[in-house]
Amino acid sequence: MRTIGVAIAVPEPFGEQLRAKRRSYGDTMAETVPSHVTLVPPTEVDDAQLGRLVEALTQVAAIIPSFRMTLQGTGTFRPISPVVFVAVSEGISVTELLAQAIRHAVDLPEPQFPFHPHVTVAHHLDDESLDRAFDDLSDFRCSFEVSQFSLYFHDDEQGWMPERSFRLS
């Protein structure tokens, strides 16, 4: 078994800016979790099914066009989950369509919570640190073209590592 995830990477220099902020709040996951918008959350997959997974992701990428994404402002999942995030404000509908197409193509169960595209910037920290992240990044804004998504494998020592990228049509 292997733990996989599928995500849109936040390109540089924006990804590093968000990781640096995450580090400044004391979030240790800044070192092992690249800045990203999750399409498929961490999921256990049998190694024998990886070929089928890659084939399905290739097929989805072939039917979804590239699109513009804007990240702007902050939000939180508190009190349900101790998370502060930067919100996707442009490209939401295409991101939702992409996530749904991937879940359907690889026959994954529906997520536990409704899909909400975002970039986590603080996770499992004390309330003061979460509040600081929420306030510090409230005026953050960046835009970029999304031309691919990636399959990530989780490694216990190195964290989340991109295994393969899939270019959108």
Side-chain angles (χ1 to χ4, degrees):
M1 293 295 277
R2 180 182 303 266
T3 303
I4 63 103
V6 180
I8 297 167
V10 176
E12 303 309 340
F14 311 118
E16 178 52 35
Q17 289 171 359
L18 293 173
R19 278 190 305 281
K21 282 293 196 179
R22 196 169 184 171
R23 279 191 294 275
S24 77
Y25 307 132
D27 191 333
T28 58
M29 287 195 264
E31 303 305 323
T32 59
V33 179
S35 298
H36 69 281
V37 175
T38 299
L39 299 170
V40 174
T43 304
E44 292 291 320
V45 174
D46 191 299
D47 286 343
Q49 294 185 317
L50 287 176
R52 181 181 156 345
L53 173 65
V54 167
E55 185 177 309
L57 294 174
T58 300
Q59 290 172 355
V60 169
I63 62 170
I64 304 287
S66 61
F67 61 98
R68 188 117 188 110
M69 179 176 281
T70 299
L71 305 176
Q72 182 175 352
T74 51
T76 184
F77 294 129
R78 293 187 285 177
I80 304 299
S81 180
V83 170
V84 171
F85 58 84
V86 172
V88 174
S89 64
E90 179 184 6
I92 295 171
S93 60
V94 181
T95 304
E96 290 172 338
L97 178 66
L98 180 56
Q100 183 179 30
I102 291 169
R103 279 194 312 275
H104 179 70
V106 299
D107 197 28
L108 293 173
E110 286 298 311
Q112 181 181 3
F113 298 104
F115 183 70
H116 179 71
H118 66 278
V119 178
T120 298
V121 292
H123 190 244
H124 288 298
L125 301 174
D126 60 75
D127 283 340
E128 183 178 316
S129 297
L130 292 170
D131 290 343
R132 196 167 107 233
F134 188 89
D135 293 340
D136 283 356
L137 291 165
S138 63
D139 61 354
F140 180 86
R141 186 181 197 285
C142 70
S143 293
F144 52 91
E145 192 70 16
V146 176
S147 59
Q148 67 183 18
F149 62 88
S150 298
L151 170 65
Y152 289 81
F153 288 171
H154 185 262
D155 177 272
D156 287 338
E157 292 178 15
Q158 295 181 322
W160 288 97
M161 306 296 296
E163 175 64 21
R164 180 167 175 178
S165 293
F166 301 86
R167 188 158 288 298
L168 298 172
S169 66

